[in-house]
Amino acid sequence: MKKLINDPADVVVDALRGFEAAHSDRVRVDLDLKTIYRKDAPKQGKVALISGGGSGHEPMHGGFVGPGMLDAACCGEVFTSPVPDQMMAATTAVDGGAGVLHIVKNYTGDVMNFEMAAEMAEADSGIRVASIVTDDDVAVQDSLYTAGRRGVGVTVLLEKIAGAAAEEGRDLDAVLEVAKKVNGNGRSMGMALTSCTVPAAGEPTFELGEDEMEVGIGIHGEPGREKRPLASAREIAEQLLGPILKDHDFKGAPAIVMMNGMGGTPLLELYLMYGEVAKILEAQGVAIARNLVGNYITSLEMAGCSVTLLCADDELVSLWDAPVNTPGLRWGC
């Protein structure tokens, strides 16, 4: 295992310490609770947004804390859910009197722990908490870590769009409705060329031959639909988009498209892949309203990519375009 770390047991805290040093103009970090806060939180009268999950998916979620997106992000150990105490403390700390929205990826540990935190916060502090569980991965219906579809790339788009709705001053019910709209109209699918190595494990999560790829991979290295022979970028784009386009009608409105790297894929290849995706969508009659290309929801150093499509009406595009100022996304400022 070759990694830029000190002690595998300290990876998350050491990374958070560096994150705060790099972005102290926008965030503050509670190292004891491994939680990243928007520096000016709580914002009185604004619905607060909290997300979180296992570390190793950076920039998600901590990189999306700041004006226009999240008010806090709770960080678990690598690929491990944060605990309810973290989430409850974050919920209490960012509540500005307008309620809190929990944005939860559909993984069993995340869902259970966020539910417990919401119940605790409501019982102890009377804070109104609403939750949205993202489940956009079309690769598999159930997996090692979920009942139902996994929450993946749409989570990033949802945090941006719901964050903009909250920044506008919409109430909790209205922000929740926007979040539901995003989750209901977004789909994702990913693939891997290599495994990744969790620092505490010290060895690859799974094995792939030099001429193999895994299609439908999860963001923790969990298996996808199947191992397949390595294919060209054009063929991979077809294999990822086929199930997405079959699962939802994207011809009714322009799409926001995210071509996401899994952590170990260079931008040269991601832009090449985006070009193939754009050609396929054009041929299928799907217009592209906006796009993102880069690393937004990763799996440590895994080589591979995922594609996310969101059917976006005028409201969602407008909220997407609204100003955002976070370490991981920034425009309009």
Side-chain angles (χ1 to χ4, degrees), residues 211-281:
D211 59 349
E212 290 182 316
M213 61 182 185
E214 182 88 24
V215 177
I217 196 75
I219 57 173
H220 306 95
E222 62 266 42
R225 289 190 169 191
E226 60 181 339
K227 290 181 180 179
R228 295 178 183 172
L230 187 62
S232 68
R234 183 174 299 108
E235 292 169 321
I236 292 170
E238 291 171 349
Q239 291 179 36
L240 296 181
L241 281 175
I244 290 174
L245 296 175
K246 184 178 180 180
D247 198 79
H248 188 78
D249 181 9
F250 285 93
K251 296 180 181 179
I256 296 174
V257 180
M258 181 171 73
M259 171 52 63
N260 171 69
M262 301 304 289
T265 303
L267 277 170
L268 178 76
E269 296 174 27
L270 293 179
Y271 278 115
L272 190 156
M273 280 293 300
Y274 178 78
E276 297 299 335
V277 166
K279 284 190 291 186
I280 293 170
L281 293 179

Side-chain angles (χ1 to χ4, degrees), residues 104 132-137 150-152 154-155 158 177-187 248 309-310 316:
V104 189
I132 179 73
V133 178
T134 60
D135 57 357
D136 53 299
D137 190 351
R150 301 174 292 212
V152 286
V154 154
T155 314
L158 191 152
E177 283 305 307
V178 167
K180 289 179 178 178
K181 187 176 179 182
V182 173
N183 188 58
N185 287 284
R187 302 291 188 273
H248 188 78
L309 266 63
L310 171 63
L316 297 188

Side-chain angles (χ1 to χ4, degrees), residues 36 106 111 191 198-199 224 283 294 321:
I36 300 169
N106 188 32
V111 172
M191 58 78 62
V198 176
D321 288 342

Side-chain angles (χ1 to χ4, degrees), residues 154-170:
V154 154
T155 314
V156 177
L157 309 188
L158 191 152
E159 289 174 358
K160 168 62 186 81
I161 291 170
E167 208 74 45
E168 282 185 355
R170 301 190 193 187

Side-chain angles (χ1 to χ4, degrees), residues 25 142 250:
D25 59 325
D142 299 297
F250 285 93

